[in-house]
């Protein structure tokens, strides 16, 4: 009887396509929206993910997230280096600075100062130039989206922007900076341009700031847990020290607590999920109800409850799989096509696909069970009703 | 006559059935005694709402009576578990409905093969049997048509093929000709009578259609939930 169940489904191609389309569209909402949310949230700690070499972050106790800045004394670097279990520790500057462009306009950007000798914390992917080119006098590296976006050159108001590149000049606080490279970096939450330079040059460019040490990046010795070393650093210096994972968590919690992002976007995601499941469930339920009479006929002819239940579940599994497959595929294609633009980038993770796919299958099966109950309870005698 | 033929196909005594409860309670059967012999064509006639459909539903084991006893081929249906009753129905009873009830999304051959598939026949065998059965109702070659491509009379012939394909011992029909014109109705009746009664099977037909009364071996008249009379029908002479 299972092939009969499938034939019943395919026998009306219009209805079959309708069900598949509805489930596919619901799947799009259920995949794309959470993907956006997950990505926006993970951007809150993008900087921490990007900087993979150190496993400990040390900062002022007032700092709540990686986007915060409360610089500490330079001398703290030496204290951290002295703590037992620390393999190495380097300075890291991160702060908002006003940059003046060649045409005289100015923009806010994020200036990042890297340890002069190791350049730890620098961008992983260089598109033009090399990271070591930061040793060229006045050298800075700009990020790709900044280079094309707010740092781009405009000859006039209406002229199309030309991305800045190697050889172009920027100015921070009347101090000249020479672009020596373009790098790719994860867009930050606020999506400002990012400008990398050395720690000591950052001090000259960011003239106005007295203290410059935003973070100390450290590495735990082999065999030492970064968390344990971080606790020791806190105890000895009075500063806050986190392992990278702890800092990601803390940054995420801070953003979630102090902005409405989770409430606002989470609400949209939730609505999408509810609408998606409701539509999917309803559509399949209606399909079974349309066939109620024929299930009654099968029952009169001696089909067991198990057979009927199996037929309905098979139909549900099939439309669920095919519909979700099309929906997730379309979403992936859409994300691929729009990847690389400014703003949050939705990413499909297997956890997300598993979650959304699980939800779609769950709701289709639930609808199948509810409609199957109706079939099983059906008075067989209805088959004689005209 | 073989001894098994002495066992009636259907034997009902004191069968009552009411629908609903309280104010909406409707008594459909008020103590029905009726017997259908093997190889007999019994017609059940009576005014609308008198309980005919209810009675054949009980007789075919798709509706439980409230009281009284109903046996099919000596088997008291109430003594079977629901699953056993379903299986019993699947093997021994065929159904023909007023509204045909062909599954619109299945081909003619698939529709006919349903009782065989439900009884566990392999697909190939079921299809071959269905095609043979389709020829018996005069529709050879239409196995891959969809029901909607057939006329009403042709659809009812497909439904008859479906009711007979698994060689049931009892076939119950509710108004099998009321959706058909006169000539088509007679052709369908000829077919039913030939295929069912000729094979020694029993046939119970509920009908309003006086134009087909002459096919009956026995006419059972019903009124207000009771059997008023059971008389030999016009066809008795031919068959006894
Ligand atoms: N499912 C049901 N729920 C409630 N009452 C019902 C139900 N089915 C039938 N009845 C009532 O039971 C009585 C007998 O109905 P039944 O369908 O058996 O009559 P019938 O003789 O087949 O009528 P008809 O010739 O119009 O088909 C009627 O009064 C009807 O309204
Ligand atoms: Mg009726």
């Amino acid at each position: 009887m299972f092939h009969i169940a499938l034939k019943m489904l395919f026998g009306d191609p219009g209805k079959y396509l309708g069900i598949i389309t509805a489930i596919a569209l619901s799947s799009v909402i259920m995949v794309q929206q959470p993907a956006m949310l997950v990505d926006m949230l993970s951007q809150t700690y993008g900087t921490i993910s990007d900087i993979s070499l150190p496993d400990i972050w040390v900062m002022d106790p007032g700092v709540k997230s990686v986007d915060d800045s409360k610089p500490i004394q330079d001398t703290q670097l030496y204290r951290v280096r002295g703590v037992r279990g620390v393999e190495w520790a380097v300075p890291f500057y991160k702060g908002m600075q006003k940059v003046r462009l060649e045409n005289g306009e100015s923009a806010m950007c994020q200036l990042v100062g890297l340890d002069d000798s190791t350049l730890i914390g620098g961008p992983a992917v260089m598109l033009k130039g090399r990271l070591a080119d930061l040793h060229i006098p006045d050298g800075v590296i700009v990020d790709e989206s900044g280079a094309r976006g707010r740092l781009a050159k405009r000859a006039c108001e209406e002229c199309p922007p030309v991305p800045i590149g190697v050889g172009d000049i920027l100015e921070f606080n009347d101090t000249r900076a020479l672009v020596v490279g373009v790098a790719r970096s994860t867009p930050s939450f606020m999506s400002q341009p990012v400008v990398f330079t050395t720690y000591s040059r950052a001090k000259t460019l960011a003239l106005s700031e007295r203290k410059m040490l935003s973070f100390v990046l450290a590495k735990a010795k082999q065999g030492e847990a970064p968390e344990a070393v971080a606790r020791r650093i806190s105890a000895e210096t009075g500063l806050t020290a986190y392992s990278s994972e702890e800092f990601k968590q803390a940054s995420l919690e801070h953003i979630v607590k102090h902005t409405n992002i989770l409430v606002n976007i989470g609400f949209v995601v939730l609505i999408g999920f509810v609408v998606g499941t409701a539509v999917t469930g309803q559509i399949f339920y209606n399909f079974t109800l349309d066939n109620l009479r024929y299930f009654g006929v099968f029952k009169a002819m001696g089909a067991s409850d198990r057979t009927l239940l199996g037929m309905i579940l098979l139909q549900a599994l099939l439309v669920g799989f095919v519909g979700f497959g099309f929906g997730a595929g379309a979403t992936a294609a859409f994300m691929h096509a729009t990847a690389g633009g400014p703003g949050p980038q939705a990413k499909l993770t297997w956890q997300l696909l598993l979650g959304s796919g699980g939800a779609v299958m769950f709701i289709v099966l639930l609808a199948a069970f509810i409609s199957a109950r109706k079939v099983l309870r059906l008075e067989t005698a209805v088959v004689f009703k005209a | 006559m073989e001894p098994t033929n002495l066992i009636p196909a259907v034997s009902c005594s004191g069968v009552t059935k009411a629908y609903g409860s309280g104010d909406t309670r409707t008594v459909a059967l008020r103590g029905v005694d009726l017997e259908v012999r093997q190889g007999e064509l019994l017609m059940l006639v009576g005014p609308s709402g008198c309980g005919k459909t209810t009675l054949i539903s009980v007789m075919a084991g798709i509706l439980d009576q409230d009281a009284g006893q109903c046996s099919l081929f000596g088997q008291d249906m109430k003594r079977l578990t629901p699953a056993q009753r379903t299986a019993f129905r699947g093997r021994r009873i065929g159904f023909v409905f007023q509204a045909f009830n062909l599954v619109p999304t299945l081909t003619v051959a698939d529709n006919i093969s349903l009782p065989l598939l439900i009884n566990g026949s392999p697909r190939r065998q079921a299809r071959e049997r269905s095609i043979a059965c389709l020829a018996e109702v005069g529709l050879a070659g239409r196995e891959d048509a969809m029901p909607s491509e057939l006329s009403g009379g042709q659809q009812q012939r497909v439904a008859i093929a479906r009711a007979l394909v698994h060689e049931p011992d009892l076939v119950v029909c509710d108004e099998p000709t009321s959706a058909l014109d006169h000539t088509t109705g007679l052709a369908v009746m000829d077919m039913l009578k030939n295929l069912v009664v000729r094979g020694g099977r029993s046939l119970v037909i509920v009908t309003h259609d006086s134009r087909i009364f002459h096919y009956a071996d026995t006419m059972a008249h019903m009124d207000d939930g009771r059997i008023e009379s059971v008389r030999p029908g016009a066809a008795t002479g031919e068959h006894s």
Side-chain angles (χ1 to χ4, degrees), chain A residues 276-294:
Chain A
T277 50
V279 168
T280 303
Q282 181 67 30
I283 293 258
F284 185 76
Y285 183 66
N286 279 347
F287 171 75
T288 309
L289 286 199
D290 285 346
N291 281 316
L292 199 57
R293 175 175 204 91
Y294 305 108

Side-chain angles (χ1 to χ4, degrees), chain A residues 7, chain B residues 107-110 112-113 116-117 121-134 142-144 165:
Chain A
K7 282 183 180 176
Chain B
T107 63
V108 163
D110 282 333
I112 298 176
S113 63
L116 295 172
L117 295 171
S121 295
R123 275 165 70 170
R124 264 240 336 240
Q125 199 180 315
R127 183 171 164 88
E128 280 164 14
R129 270 295 295 137
S130 307
I131 291 173
C133 218
L134 192 62
R142 303 306 303 272
E143 58 266 19
D144 292 322
V165 69

Side-chain angles (χ1 to χ4, degrees), chain B residues 218-234:
Chain B
T218 307
M219 293 287 286
H221 287 265
M222 243 189 124
D223 197 7
D224 195 21
R226 287 192 187 85
I227 301 287
E228 295 280 289
S229 67
V230 178
R231 297 201 191 100

Side-chain angles (χ1 to χ4, degrees), chain A residues 55-56 84-85 220-232 243:
Chain A
D55 50 20
I56 298 168
R84 186 165 54 82
K221 278 207 169 90
Q222 189 117 38
E224 294 259 14
E227 287 77 17
V229 178
R231 293 303 87 77
R232 221 175 285 147
S243 71

Side-chain angles (χ1 to χ4, degrees), chain A residues 73-201:
Chain A
Q73 300 279 353
D74 272 357
T75 50
Q76 298 288 11
L77 177 63
Y78 305 107
R79 294 186 66 193
V80 172
R81 282 180 177 157
V83 174
R84 186 165 54 82
V86 173
E87 173 83 41
W88 49 252
V90 295
F92 187 75
Y93 167 79
K94 192 167 163 296
M96 295 307 291
Q97 289 293 333
K98 193 190 251 181
V99 57
R100 188 179 289 277
L101 309 177
E102 263 172 302
N103 65 3
E105 280 179 32
S106 58
M108 290 308 285
C109 75
Q110 181 151 274
L111 185 65
V112 175
L114 311 171
D115 176 47
D116 288 51
S117 54
T118 61
L119 299 179
I120 283 172
V125 182
M126 292 296 297
L127 300 173
K128 281 190 201 118
R130 295 168 309 133
L131 186 57
D133 290 344
L134 282 183
H135 294 304
I136 295 171
D138 302 333
V140 295
I141 291 170
V142 295
D143 80 312
E144 188 191 16
S145 54
R148 294 183 186 200
R150 284 183 231 181
L151 299 183
K153 294 179 285 190
R154 266 174 216 275
C156 62
E157 284 275 331
E158 314 299 327
C159 307
V162 180
I164 61 166
V166 174
D168 283 317
I169 304 289
L170 299 172
E171 228 183 81
F172 290 86
N173 300 309
D174 298 327
T175 311
R176 196 185 92 106
L178 171 68
V179 177
V180 296
V182 178
R184 175 165 298 154
S185 75
T186 314
S188 73
F189 191 49
M190 305 299 180
S191 59
Q192 296 113 350
V194 185
V195 177
F196 298 91
T197 186
T198 61
Y199 186 72
S200 55
R201 193 167 306 124

Side-chain angles (χ1 to χ4, degrees), chain A residues 5-57:
Chain A
L6 296 183
K7 282 183 180 176
M8 283 170 79
L9 202 57
F10 304 142
D12 188 344
K15 195 180 280 177
Y16 175 66
L17 285 182
I19 298 173
I20 295 294
T21 309
I23 296 179
L25 290 179
S26 304
S27 303
V28 168
I29 300 175
M30 292 167 75
V31 171
Q32 200 267 346
Q33 291 288 313
M36 285 278 284
L37 180 65
V38 166
D39 191 63
M40 282 185 89
L41 291 179
S42 67
Q43 274 183 18
T44 60
Y45 52 73
T47 313
I48 312 173
S49 309
D50 282 355
I51 302 175
S52 56
L53 221 44
D55 50 20
I56 298 168
W57 290 65

